[in-house]
Every structure is written in structure tokens, then in C-alpha cells.
Amino acid sequence: MFPSVAFRPVRLFVLSVGITALAMLAAGLLGHLMVGVFFGIGLFLGLLNALLVRHSVDSITAREHPLKRSMAVNSLSRLAIITIVGLIIAYVFRPAGLGVLFGLALFQVLLVVATALPVWKKLRTGEPVPASAREALEDTDGGNTSDD
């Protein structure tokens, strides 16, 4: 289950805007403003992907008999489309378009950190965590939730 309790798309959007602004500033100072622009596009493609994940999980798990196969097919097609779009942008607008791929990669790190930190904080303070969030956290760290 996607830990919807910790997934905050508005927070991720604001972080993406801030990171895009910093990337554009840094790239502009280095004389490559478009790298920063494409980096931001990659971040927003990553956010779109995360929103589509939440939508597909919600719609598939709302069924009477959700199938893992339908989730797998959905994930494969969604990731294929996002990857193809990123690669097309990177190729058509090369070399600056490669910023899209770096933006997509950084967004995945940002998503994991922004989703896992609130859950870890709740686990450490002893607050109750919804089962779906606990299961997702255990999947990301190999089932180890102890402080060892």
C-alpha cells in the first residue's frame, strides 16, 4: 500500500519549485539556463508519476478483488510512458535536455525521503502509524524498524 498518510503532493510541489529555482539560478550563473529548466521539467514529471501512482493504487485497491497483475501492468505502462517522454525530451533538446533525466532521478530520492521521514518520526515517538504506512516502510528498509 502507498503510505498516503505521508504522501504530501503539495509539499513535494513546493519543494520541486524551490529546487527548480535553485537549479535554474545555478545553471544560469554557469551559462546553461536551459539545463535548469529541463531539470525542473524532470522534477515535475516525477511529481506527475507519483500522483498517477496514488491514483492507480486508489482505483485498483477500491475494487472488490484487486489483482497484483493489474497493478503491475499499470506500473509498467506508466513508467514506460514517463521514461519515453523523458528520453525524447533529452534527445530532442540535447545536451541541455539531459537535465530532465537528472530531475526525474532527484525527484525519486525526494519522494522517498519526504514520504519516509514522517513515518519514521511517528515510529520513533510511539505515535500510531496506519498499517499501510508501516508496511510500506518495512518494505523500503528490509523489514527493520528497530533502532539497532
Side-chain angles (χ1 to χ4, degrees):
M1 282 290 197
F2 198 78
S4 60
V5 68
F7 178 65
R8 305 274 188 234
V10 174
R11 179 182 292 166
L12 287 169
F13 176 76
V14 170
L15 283 170
S16 294
V17 168
I19 292 171
T20 298
L22 289 174
M24 288 177 62
L25 178 65
L29 290 174
L30 294 172
H32 300 284
L33 178 64
M34 292 308 292
V35 172
V37 171
F38 285 115
F39 186 83
I41 291 170
L43 286 171
F44 291 106
L45 279 174
L47 180 60
L48 174 66
N49 182 44
L51 291 170
L52 290 173
V53 167
R54 183 173 70 173
H55 174 72
S56 67
V57 167
D58 288 346
S59 65
I60 290 172
T61 56
R63 298 179 188 161
E64 188 172 328
H65 300 289
L67 299 174
K68 289 182 183 180
R69 182 171 189 230
S70 60
M71 182 62 84
V73 169
N74 180 284
S75 294
L76 179 64
S77 59
R78 181 181 31 76
L79 289 173
I81 291 169
I82 295 286
T83 302
I84 289 169
V85 167
L87 288 173
I88 288 172
I89 292 171
Y91 181 77
V92 170
F93 297 101
R94 66 182 180 269
L98 287 172
V100 168
L101 302 178
F102 290 109
L104 277 167
L106 179 66
F107 184 83
Q108 295 308 310
V109 173
L110 186 65
L111 178 65
V112 168
V113 170
T115 304
L117 282 179
V119 175
W120 278 331
K121 284 181 184 177
K122 284 189 175 196
L123 287 173
R124 290 187 187 265
T125 60
E127 293 179 42
V129 178
S132 63
R134 183 181 298 270
E135 290 169 8
L137 182 61
E138 289 172 355
D139 288 344
T140 61
D141 71 358
N144 182 12
T145 57
S146 67
D147 290 335
D148 300 10

